[in-house]
Amino acid sequence: HHATTDDIGAVRWLDTSAAAAGVMVGELLDALGWPVDLRTAEALLTAMTTDTGWFHYSNTDGRCLRAAARLFDVGVEGDKLYQRLFQADRPERMMLLSRALSSLELPAAGSIATMKLRLGDFAETGARQDETENIVNEPMRMGCVEVSMLLVQTPDDGGRCIRVSLRSRGGVDVAAVARRFGGGGHVQAAGLRADEDIDALAEKLV
């Protein structure tokens, strides 16, 4: 459902109007006449809620909400699913969040927020590389920030491979920014990878 895609197969099903891949999969199951049990419903709702920020991102629409309502009717308990997805962090992840926030810089008169996580931050906190999810969204709490970016140093290529997450309120197309660096995504949520010094890459992105 992304506006930008990779050539990952000979046949691709693209629907950029879908708020989430989970919406598309649910519609495919309906077309095939396959029943949706509780486990499947939880998986589909997880896909929908992570792609829509628990239904508060701008891509949330009636089509998505109607699809989600059917999953609640199957018996999904939304509060418990939310706890499993968003309220089950390890202490190490919270320490990593602290490191990210301590690196916060606000260039462009505060309209851009940049954060960096280096290999040492993971080693010293004991956090994993996959525990950076949603950290990029934290600076969006500030009203002045139009774009937030999180740059994460990975162990790949001797630490020169940088993974970048980008978020926007909508005034800046971060997918277009990401494409210039070989990445992609949505207008308001995109990402990329680059083999470059983390500080130099941050400066180029700003």
Side-chain angles (χ1 to χ4, degrees):
H1 73 115
H2 287 181
T4 57
T5 61
D6 297 321
D7 294 325
I8 58 174
V11 178
R12 290 180 294 167
W13 174 29
L14 306 178
D15 182 358
T16 57
S17 70
V23 173
M24 298 171 65
V25 173
E27 292 172 351
L28 180 61
L29 295 180
D30 284 344
L32 293 170
W34 289 4
V36 174
D37 59 16
L38 180 58
R39 184 178 180 186
T40 303
E42 288 182 338
L44 289 172
L45 191 62
T46 296
M48 293 178 198
T49 57
T50 52
D51 267 334
T52 62
W54 204 263
F55 308 119
H56 80 267
Y57 293 166
S58 64
N59 59 337
T60 304
D61 58 13
R63 175 184 174 190
C64 179
L65 292 174
R66 284 189 291 273
R70 295 176 59 191
L71 302 176
F72 281 103
D73 289 342
V74 172
V76 176
E77 296 180 271
D79 59 333
K80 293 182 179 178
L81 183 63
Y82 185 90
Q83 291 169 15
R84 287 161 56 192
L85 292 174
F86 302 110
Q87 295 180 332
D89 290 344
R90 299 191 310 143
E92 292 86 346
R93 194 265 181 187
M94 296 304 294
M95 296 302 295
L96 189 69
L97 171 60
S98 175
R99 292 294 185 98
L101 292 174
S102 70
S103 76
L104 177 67
E105 296 180 359
L106 296 168
S111 62
I112 299 175
T114 68
M115 296 181 295
K116 302 167 190 169
L117 287 171
R118 305 173 191 271
L119 290 179
D121 294 314
F122 292 92
E124 292 165 16
T125 62
R128 303 187 305 262
Q129 284 277 333
D130 64 356
E131 291 182 301
T132 61
E133 187 73 19
N134 291 321
I135 288 179
V136 66
N137 295 319
E138 292 297 325
M140 303 300 283
R141 296 172 182 269
M142 293 181 285
C144 62
V145 173
E146 292 295 327
V147 173
S148 175
M149 63 179 73
L150 173 66
L151 294 88
V152 179
Q153 186 180 28
T154 74
D156 302 330
D157 198 18
R160 284 188 59 84
C161 182
I162 308 301
R163 176 168 47 87
V164 182
S165 298
L166 302 167
R167 297 292 184 271
S168 168
R169 293 188 189 274
V172 175
D173 182 352
V174 290
V177 175
R179 281 195 297 270
R180 294 178 60 179
F181 294 83
H186 301 286
V187 170
Q188 293 181 254
L192 61 105
R193 285 179 176 267
D195 186 6
E196 192 164 345
D197 174 78
I198 191 170
D199 295 314
L201 179 58
E203 186 174 345
K204 289 181 181 180
L205 286 165
V206 170

